[in-house]
Amino acid sequence: MLRHVRTHLAKQQFECDFCPYGAKQAADVHNHVQQIHMGVNFVCVHCKQFEVVPTRKTQTLEHCATCVDMVRPDASYTYMCYLCNYHTPTRKYMRTHIDTHNGEKPFRCALCAYSARRKTHLDDHMRRHTGEKPHACGMCGYECAQGSQLMQHLRKVHKVDKKGGEEEEEEEEEEEEEDNIEQEFLFE
């Protein structure tokens, strides 16, 4: 888990010698070069038979859904990755995940070298250039570029939990006050 968290924090320090692709881990660049530039195809780690060809995503997605050697404990395992333990019930998310192995980032910023696997990530990035802050707090007017920043603000400043209500501490205090009021009323 710590290794995974570091991938989000570290700068992309490894670069492909043949194209603009960059990664935070050398192994990812190595896999990218092997698959994209050298034509080396990977074999499914589950069945050891299906050869993954990066340009044939439809076949790869079908295999991720039908490989009989993949153990599928529940419905969230509809699509399982041919190379790692990732699984999802959705074809769309598996298609995006497969790009993490071949290094494809089809969404490119027109103003800098940034590229992303998902359009939503590019949209978030573009707000850095435009200064747009479409998310606003309904309690104090705080504005920010990303929804996650607004949620963090609500939790820290206004003590709102993920469901939109006050955090449990305040609810417990209110319940105690109500209990005290009821007890005072009973003893009058």
Side-chain angles (χ1 to χ4, degrees):
M1 179 68 162
L2 183 59
R3 180 179 168 210
H4 174 77
V5 170
R6 284 185 187 140
T7 65
H8 294 289
L9 300 175
K11 188 178 179 182
Q12 290 186 351
Q13 56 190 1
F14 301 97
E15 296 178 356
C16 175
D17 293 332
F18 306 104
C19 72
Y21 176 77
K24 294 166 185 147
Q25 297 177 8
D28 291 340
V29 173
H30 175 75
N31 288 344
H32 162 81
V33 169
Q34 293 281 304
Q35 243 186 335
I36 304 302
H37 302 295
M38 303 241 161
V40 174
N41 296 326
F42 291 103
V43 175
C44 173
V45 296
H46 304 283
C47 68
K48 310 276 191 275
Q49 295 174 7
F50 179 76
E51 190 174 323
V52 179
V53 179
T55 56
R56 296 184 182 159
K57 283 190 185 171
T58 302
Q59 287 178 339
T60 302
L61 286 166
E62 283 303 311
H63 182 75
C64 290
T66 60
C67 179
V68 293
D69 292 316
M70 294 179 182
V71 180
R72 301 171 197 273
D74 61 46
S76 71
Y77 288 78
T78 305
Y79 290 90
M80 290 184 62
C81 182
Y82 62 90
L83 202 56
C84 71
N85 293 326
Y86 178 82
H87 60 89
T88 178
T90 312
R91 180 182 180 97
K92 173 184 168 183
Y93 292 140
M94 180 54 71
R95 184 180 191 87
T96 301
H97 172 77
I98 288 171
D99 289 343
T100 66
H101 293 301
N102 65 23
E104 274 188 47
K105 293 183 177 182
F107 301 100
R108 300 191 187 288
C109 178
L111 303 173
C112 71
Y114 178 83
S115 61
R117 287 183 187 90
R118 295 187 178 139
K119 185 180 183 313
T120 55
H121 293 172
L122 177 61
D123 293 343
D124 285 347
H125 166 79
M126 291 306 292
R127 291 188 189 118
R128 292 181 180 194
H129 295 299
T130 65
E132 178 189 8
K133 295 182 178 182
H135 303 280
C137 176
M139 301 170 120
C140 70
Y142 168 79
E143 293 179 338
C144 55
Q146 297 179 8
S148 60
Q149 292 170 323
L150 178 59
M151 288 307 298
Q152 183 179 11
H153 164 81
L154 289 169
R155 282 194 299 272
K156 285 186 175 180
V157 175
H158 302 295
K159 307 294 186 216
V160 174
D161 66 12
K162 290 180 182 178
K163 297 173 191 165
E166 298 296 318
E167 286 189 0
E168 290 179 17
E169 286 180 33
E170 290 185 32
E171 289 176 15
E172 288 174 9
E173 288 174 13
E174 288 174 14
E175 288 175 8
E176 279 182 32
E177 286 178 22
E178 289 174 6
D179 289 345
N180 290 340
I181 291 169
E182 287 176 9
Q183 288 176 2
E184 288 174 17
F185 180 74
L186 291 173
F187 291 112
E188 285 182 352

